[in-house]
Amino acid sequence: MEENKQGYDPSEFEDDDYMTPQPDAGKSIRGYRIVIIILSVILVALSALYFSIHRQQMIDNRLLQSDRDSIQNDLGRLMTDFDNLQVTNDSISAGLTIERDRADSLMTRLKKERSWNLAKIKQYEKEVGTLRTIMKGYIRQIDSLNTLNKRLISENVGYRKEISSAKLRAEMAEEKAAELDNKVRVGAVIRARDITLAALNANSKPVSRVKNAARLRVDFVLTANELATPGEKTIYVRITSPDGYVLTTEAMPTFDFEGERLSYSAMREVDYQNQDLDVGIFYNSTGFAAGTYTVQLFCEGRLIGTSQIAMR
């Protein structure tokens, strides 16, 4: 026992493992805190990054939606412009119909599109721009046609005015020519003057009473007229009795006068040579009554003389 007290120390022979000191609890807690802080910083950073990315995505989505709405509105206005174009040219009208159908198809695709990105926005903008360029080309063609039509209409109006003026001058010239022709024809009419009516017996001797007459003789003069056409002329005489009846024969012959057929009392053909010509025409009958007789002379479809003569 004393030896142990003097020279032997049991702790000198103990294993080193048994001699390791126990860990410090305060240091462990500090380590955990550091880890938690680091993880918290990382979480905050990740959260900030997530919200930043999410915010940017929302901004991008709003921009894409705005671009999409702008494209749809632009396309809608373009379709309205197509509908408002008025054209009568068949070729341009057919082309407009094709492009209008393309615009309808593009609008349908726009409304059905669900996955939007910048590339698709650019693609749709390009297609709408192409349609807009095509429509502007048609507008230029239509404007050119309208300008040409206005010029043609203006020229047509000018031509019509010229034609109307020429037609008016022609009509005036025709009227003047007709007037001159009528004057010539009127001037060329042979006139009868000095018309008399004589009552005669069967021997062609004058009688004082018409009731005793066996025939009537109409005497007159065809006046000289240099404008008249010379040659054979047929003279018709109509003698109207006091009771208003035209004296005629049983055959009741007629002649044409202004589109009507008139009965006549007697007729005679004469050779007229533009000089005064004495003519006598006989009407044979009996039973004449006293009173006023009307004598009318016709030649070449015209009334050339008339006279009312009282017979006793």
Side-chain angles (χ1 to χ4, degrees):
M1 295 296 292
E2 291 180 359
E3 290 179 355
N4 289 339
K5 291 180 180 181
Q6 292 179 355
Y8 175 71
D9 186 358
S11 62
E12 293 179 0
F13 299 97
E14 291 182 358
D15 192 347
D16 290 339
D17 292 336
Y18 293 100
M19 298 299 293
T20 301
Q22 295 296 322
D24 191 345
K27 290 182 179 180
S28 297
I29 292 173
R30 284 196 299 272
Y32 287 133
R33 287 179 178 175
I34 291 172
V35 171
I36 291 172
I37 291 172
I38 292 172
L39 292 176
S40 298
V41 170
I42 293 173
L43 180 61
V44 170
L46 290 175
S47 298
L49 179 61
Y50 168 78
F51 285 112
S52 176
I53 293 173
H54 180 68
R55 180 182 178 186
Q56 187 62 43
Q57 287 178 342
M58 291 180 64
I59 293 174
D60 291 341
N61 286 335
R62 284 196 294 269
L63 290 175
L64 289 174
Q65 290 177 0
S66 177
D67 290 339
R68 180 199 63 188
D69 294 340
S70 177
I71 293 172
Q72 287 184 347
N73 292 334
D74 192 20
L75 182 58
R77 288 190 296 269
L78 181 63
M79 294 169 68
T80 301
D81 292 340
F82 270 118
D83 293 336
N84 291 335
L85 288 177
Q86 301 293 331
V87 63
T88 57
N89 184 280
D90 293 339
S91 177
I92 295 179
S93 179
L96 286 174
T97 300
I98 293 174
E99 299 306 326
R100 182 61 170 80
D101 292 341
R102 286 182 58 190
D104 286 338
S105 176
L106 183 58
M107 179 62 79
T108 301
R109 287 165 49 201
L110 276 170
K111 291 181 178 180
K112 290 183 178 180
E113 187 67 61
R114 292 294 178 266
S115 177
W116 287 92
N117 53 49
L118 186 59
K120 288 186 178 181
I121 290 293
K122 295 296 183 182
Q123 177 187 348
Y124 282 118
E125 286 179 344
K126 182 178 179 181
E127 292 187 43
V128 173
T130 300
L131 287 174
R132 176 70 66 183
T133 301
I134 292 173
M135 190 193 72
K136 288 181 178 178
Y138 280 119
I139 290 176
R140 285 193 294 270
Q141 292 184 48
I142 293 171
D143 288 341
S144 298
L145 288 175
N146 289 337
T147 301
L148 179 60
N149 285 337
K150 289 179 180 178
R151 189 181 70 188
L152 292 176
I153 290 173
S154 178
E155 292 177 356
N156 189 24
V157 170
Y159 290 144
R160 286 186 177 181
K161 288 182 178 179
E162 292 179 5
I163 292 172
S164 297
S165 179
K167 185 178 180 181
L168 180 60
R169 290 195 298 270
E171 289 177 351
M172 292 177 63
E174 186 177 350
E175 288 178 0
K176 288 183 179 179
E179 183 179 353
L180 289 174
D181 181 65
N182 185 58
K183 287 181 178 179
V184 170
R185 286 189 288 107
V186 171
V189 172
I190 302 171
R191 299 296 177 183
R193 72 172 192 272
D194 303 335
I195 302 172
T196 62
L197 181 63
L200 306 175
N201 60 21
N203 296 321
S204 297
K205 300 296 183 179
V207 295
S208 59
R209 300 291 180 181
V210 71
K211 65 179 181 178
N212 298 324
R215 62 196 316 193
L216 299 176
R217 186 182 69 211
V218 178
D219 295 311
F220 56 92
V221 177
L222 291 179
T223 59
N225 189 343
E226 293 295 332
L227 296 177
T229 302
E232 293 291 329
K233 306 294 180 182
T234 301
I235 311 298
Y236 297 94
V237 60
R238 277 168 57 97
I239 304 172
T240 304
S241 65
D243 55 6
Y245 292 98
V246 176
L247 303 180
T248 184
T249 63
E250 292 182 358
M252 298 184 67
T254 61
F255 69 99
D256 184 71
F257 176 70
E258 296 182 352
E260 295 183 12
R261 301 299 299 182
L262 299 181
S263 60
Y264 61 90
S265 305
M267 56 84 66
R268 180 180 174 182
E269 291 186 355
V270 298
D271 183 17
Y272 178 77
Q273 296 299 323
N274 305 100
Q275 302 296 323
D276 283 353
L277 180 64
D278 294 328
V279 181
I281 301 177
F282 293 90
Y283 171 71
N284 299 318
S285 187
T286 58
F288 299 109
T292 301
Y293 286 76
T294 300
V295 177
Q296 294 174 302
L297 297 171
F298 297 85
C299 180
E300 295 180 333
R302 289 181 177 273
L303 177 64
I304 63 173
T306 183
S307 180
Q308 290 185 331
I309 303 168
M311 303 293 288
R312 292 186 298 172

